[in-house]
Amino acid sequence: MKNTIYKLSVLVFGILMFQSCDDLDEVEVPNFDVAFNTTAKVDEPVQFTVDNAPNFLNFYAGDFGHQYKYKDRTNADGKVTMSFLNSQKWGLGSNATETLTVWYSKDYDGSGTAEAVNNATWIEITDRFDISDRYDFEFQSSGEVDISDLADGENIYFGFRYFSDNVEDRGAEWYFDGFEIEMDVENAPAPLTVADMINPGFKSVDVQGIVDGWNAAKWYYDTGKNIWRMRGNSDRIVNEDWLITNAINLTKVNPDKGMPLKTYSEQLKTFEYTYEKSGTYTITFVGSNETIYGQEGNVKEYTITVTE
């Protein structure tokens, strides 16, 4: 009898231990709540209180650039515009004007070699832009130019070509800055950024009139002025130099991003966010619990109205 009771006890204990281990394997679905005032004023912080925060929590405020529904959007349709700032000085004779032209290519390989530039098909679009013909270094806007006709979902390169074959007169020096490609999308309160001075960046390519020196007769980035500069042919040489963007897809946009509020080891009770424009916004919280046994998520949406 005692032996039977002992065996039963061992069996029950084993079942309980097995069940306990099973429970440890389970990952709980996040069960958090968020409290806040659903009306707010522009430029006044909104305080959010989070109860039972999960291991990880991301916050999408619902304003421009922070909408959950656009978190996976990498391409869009809309009017695409391009603009840049340019100025020039020191050019004499025929070098005083028209030494800077604008081109695009869809078969350039992006390698940054003179051979690649010469082998590519380049189409000139200078006449779409306002190029400085003033004799000063005051930046002039190229204008915000519609280039939607070039947006076909394929990679494109834009090239800013300096060329002078006047070896008698001093060559011009150019300043270049403020490069932007933007897309106007329906219902968006502001244009989406497609490219700028940093992303995707530029390569300087010396094609003709190669001169020793990092800033001689070529495009170079002036870290003091934080602009691109082109030093003309003071050496009295035929000079051809290109400033070429890295590959750009004119339909590609950055996905909207959320704000990470906490990670596994952090505590979170309250946080604040300030809206800069009035409107009605859909706020989204994305919570997840994660262990070595798996992951469980939960998405909660709220609405806030912001007034002036």
Side-chain angles (χ1 to χ4, degrees), residues 236 255 281:
R236 305 297 194 268
Y281 302 105

Side-chain angles (χ1 to χ4, degrees), residues 2-305:
K2 288 183 178 180
N3 190 40
T4 302
I5 294 173
Y6 173 76
K7 288 180 179 180
L8 286 172
S9 299
V10 171
L11 179 61
V12 170
F13 179 76
I15 291 172
L16 290 173
M17 286 296 294
F18 179 79
Q19 183 63 48
S20 176
C21 289
D22 236 17
D23 291 341
L24 287 175
D25 291 351
E26 284 188 22
V27 180
E28 291 185 359
V29 175
N31 183 27
F32 61 94
D33 288 306
V34 182
F36 61 96
N37 192 332
T38 57
T39 60
K41 295 288 187 181
V42 170
D43 294 331
E44 292 184 4
V46 180
Q47 185 174 76
F48 296 84
T49 302
V50 183
D51 182 45
N52 196 31
N55 298 155
F56 300 90
L57 188 62
N58 279 0
F59 166 68
Y60 291 81
D63 52 356
F64 182 63
H66 310 109
Q67 297 183 66
Y68 180 72
K69 65 180 179 180
Y70 294 135
K71 68 180 178 64
D72 297 318
R73 179 180 65 180
T74 55
N75 291 86
D77 294 320
K79 179 183 177 182
V80 182
T81 59
M82 174 172 146
S83 62
F84 55 89
L85 301 175
N86 67 103
S87 65
Q88 59 128 10
K89 197 175 181 181
W90 305 130
L92 299 176
S94 62
N95 288 332
T97 60
E98 300 181 357
T99 54
L100 180 69
T101 51
V102 186
W103 307 70
Y104 78 85
S105 175
K106 294 190 176 183
D107 62 6
Y108 171 60
D109 66 11
S111 63
T113 66
E115 181 181 15
V117 171
N118 288 329
N119 288 339
T121 303
W122 293 94
I123 298 174
E124 186 174 1
I125 53 173
T126 308
D127 59 358
R128 300 192 188 192
F129 301 93
D130 293 329
I131 306 299
S132 178
D133 58 5
R134 300 198 305 256
Y135 194 78
D136 60 45
F137 281 137
E138 292 296 321
F139 271 123
Q140 172 180 321
S141 173
S142 67
E144 194 173 276
V145 176
D146 188 347
I147 57 168
S148 302
D149 57 304
L150 306 180
D152 58 5
E154 301 296 326
N155 282 343
I156 189 171
Y157 297 84
F158 291 96
F160 299 87
R161 178 182 185 247
Y162 175 91
F163 179 76
S164 170
D165 59 2
N166 177 353
V167 298
E168 301 299 323
D169 297 312
R170 179 172 177 171
E173 181 175 344
W174 285 89
Y175 287 3
F176 179 89
D177 196 19
F179 177 77
E180 282 188 330
I181 298 179
E182 297 182 322
M183 181 186 295
D184 283 316
V185 178
E186 188 177 359
N187 297 325
L192 305 176
T193 299
V194 176
D196 55 29
M197 286 293 290
I198 297 174
N199 182 26
F202 295 85
K203 284 188 177 74
S204 172
V205 186
D206 214 342
V207 176
Q208 293 187 70
I210 299 174
V211 177
D212 290 337
W214 61 273
N215 66 347
K218 59 173 64 70
W219 285 102
Y220 71 98
Y221 191 76
D222 186 327
T223 55
K225 295 181 180 294
N226 290 319
I227 60 171
W228 281 95
R229 295 176 67 174
M230 171 64 214
R231 302 293 289 272
N233 57 340
S234 56
D235 294 275
R236 305 297 194 268
I237 54 175
V238 175
N239 198 9
E240 179 183 2
D241 294 273
W242 291 70
L243 181 64
I244 304 175
T245 67
N246 291 322
I248 299 172
N249 183 334
L250 295 177
T251 66
K252 187 174 182 180
V253 295
N254 294 324
D256 282 22
K257 294 182 179 181
M259 176 191 301
L261 297 177
K262 76 175 294 289
T263 58
Y264 194 92
S265 61
E266 296 173 320
Q267 298 295 315
L268 176 67
K269 293 296 183 182
T270 63
F271 73 97
E272 291 183 345
Y273 188 81
T274 301
Y275 289 89
E276 297 179 352
K277 293 185 177 181
S278 60
T280 299
Y281 302 105
T282 299
I283 296 172
T284 309
F285 289 89
V286 182
S288 66
N289 286 330
E290 299 179 21
T291 73
I292 60 173
Y293 300 109
Q295 182 266 345
E296 291 286 351
N298 194 3
V299 177
K300 292 195 173 186
E301 290 190 345
Y302 304 87
T303 301
I304 189 170
T305 300

